[in-house]
Short mmCIF file of all heavy atoms in Angstrom, two decimals:
data_model
loop_
_atom_site.label_atom_id
_atom_site.label_comp_id
_atom_site.label_asym_id
_atom_site.label_seq_id
_atom_site.Cartn_x
_atom_site.Cartn_y
_atom_site.Cartn_z
N MET A 385 -6.58 -5.00 11.66
CA MET A 385 -6.15 -3.63 11.93
C MET A 385 -7.32 -2.65 11.64
O MET A 385 -8.30 -3.02 11.05
CB MET A 385 -4.98 -3.24 11.00
CG MET A 385 -3.81 -4.18 10.98
SD MET A 385 -2.83 -4.17 12.51
CE MET A 385 -1.71 -2.79 12.19
N ALA A 386 -7.11 -1.42 12.12
CA ALA A 386 -8.05 -0.32 11.76
C ALA A 386 -7.19 0.81 11.19
O ALA A 386 -5.98 0.81 11.38
CB ALA A 386 -8.77 0.16 13.01
N THR A 387 -7.84 1.73 10.47
CA THR A 387 -7.07 2.81 9.86
C THR A 387 -7.49 4.14 10.43
O THR A 387 -8.70 4.40 10.59
CB THR A 387 -7.30 2.81 8.34
OG1 THR A 387 -6.77 1.61 7.78
CG2 THR A 387 -6.59 3.98 7.67
N ILE A 388 -6.52 4.97 10.77
CA ILE A 388 -6.89 6.36 11.09
C ILE A 388 -6.33 7.27 9.99
O ILE A 388 -5.31 6.97 9.36
CB ILE A 388 -6.38 6.83 12.48
CG1 ILE A 388 -4.86 6.79 12.53
CG2 ILE A 388 -6.99 5.99 13.58
CD1 ILE A 388 -4.30 7.56 13.75
N GLN A 389 -7.05 8.34 9.77
CA GLN A 389 -6.63 9.32 8.77
C GLN A 389 -6.18 10.57 9.50
O GLN A 389 -6.84 11.04 10.43
CB GLN A 389 -7.81 9.66 7.86
CG GLN A 389 -7.46 10.70 6.80
CD GLN A 389 -8.67 11.22 6.06
OE1 GLN A 389 -9.81 11.04 6.53
NE2 GLN A 389 -8.46 11.84 4.94
N ILE A 390 -5.02 11.06 9.14
CA ILE A 390 -4.49 12.28 9.76
C ILE A 390 -4.42 13.37 8.69
O ILE A 390 -3.97 13.14 7.58
CB ILE A 390 -3.06 12.04 10.32
CG1 ILE A 390 -3.08 10.90 11.34
CG2 ILE A 390 -2.46 13.31 10.92
CD1 ILE A 390 -1.72 10.52 11.89
N ASP A 391 -4.93 14.57 9.03
CA ASP A 391 -4.87 15.67 8.07
C ASP A 391 -3.41 16.10 7.95
O ASP A 391 -2.76 16.37 8.97
CB ASP A 391 -5.73 16.85 8.53
CG ASP A 391 -7.20 16.51 8.43
OD1 ASP A 391 -7.52 15.48 7.79
OD2 ASP A 391 -8.03 17.27 8.97
N GLY A 392 -2.95 16.19 6.74
CA GLY A 392 -1.55 16.56 6.54
C GLY A 392 -0.87 15.44 5.79
O GLY A 392 -1.04 14.27 6.12
N GLY A 393 -0.11 15.79 4.75
CA GLY A 393 0.53 14.75 3.95
C GLY A 393 1.82 15.25 3.32
O GLY A 393 2.50 16.10 3.89
N ARG A 394 2.11 14.71 2.16
CA ARG A 394 3.38 14.99 1.48
C ARG A 394 3.56 16.50 1.29
O ARG A 394 4.64 17.03 1.51
CB ARG A 394 3.38 14.29 0.12
CG ARG A 394 4.73 14.12 -0.52
CD ARG A 394 4.62 13.38 -1.83
NE ARG A 394 4.17 12.02 -1.62
CZ ARG A 394 3.06 11.48 -2.20
NH1 ARG A 394 2.34 12.18 -3.03
NH2 ARG A 394 2.70 10.27 -1.95
N LYS A 395 2.51 17.18 0.90
CA LYS A 395 2.61 18.63 0.65
C LYS A 395 2.88 19.40 1.93
O LYS A 395 3.28 20.56 1.91
CB LYS A 395 1.30 19.16 0.00
CG LYS A 395 1.09 18.63 -1.39
CD LYS A 395 1.63 19.61 -2.45
CE LYS A 395 1.86 18.98 -3.81
NZ LYS A 395 0.62 18.67 -4.53
N ASP A 396 2.60 18.76 3.07
CA ASP A 396 2.89 19.40 4.36
C ASP A 396 4.23 18.86 4.90
O ASP A 396 4.50 18.98 6.07
CB ASP A 396 1.76 19.09 5.35
CG ASP A 396 0.42 19.42 4.76
OD1 ASP A 396 0.08 20.63 4.69
OD2 ASP A 396 -0.32 18.49 4.31
N LYS A 397 4.94 18.20 4.01
CA LYS A 397 6.27 17.67 4.34
C LYS A 397 6.23 16.59 5.41
O LYS A 397 7.21 16.40 6.15
CB LYS A 397 7.23 18.80 4.77
CG LYS A 397 7.36 19.96 3.76
CD LYS A 397 8.64 19.79 2.95
CE LYS A 397 8.88 20.93 1.98
NZ LYS A 397 7.87 21.02 0.92
N ILE A 398 5.11 15.92 5.54
CA ILE A 398 5.02 14.84 6.52
C ILE A 398 5.55 13.55 5.90
O ILE A 398 5.24 13.22 4.75
CB ILE A 398 3.57 14.65 6.98
CG1 ILE A 398 3.18 15.87 7.84
CG2 ILE A 398 3.39 13.33 7.78
CD1 ILE A 398 1.83 15.75 8.44
N ARG A 399 6.40 12.89 6.65
CA ARG A 399 6.92 11.61 6.18
C ARG A 399 6.51 10.50 7.16
O ARG A 399 6.17 10.81 8.31
CB ARG A 399 8.43 11.66 6.05
CG ARG A 399 8.85 12.35 4.75
CD ARG A 399 10.32 12.53 4.65
NE ARG A 399 10.79 13.31 5.80
CZ ARG A 399 12.00 13.76 5.91
NH1 ARG A 399 12.87 13.53 4.99
NH2 ARG A 399 12.34 14.47 6.96
#
Side-chain angles (χ1 to χ4, degrees):
M385 308 289 275
T387 296
I388 63 165
Q389 179 190 17
I390 301 178
D391 290 348
R394 197 177 296 123
K395 292 266 161 72
D396 309 284
K397 305 261 184 294
I398 290 185
R399 280 175 302 189

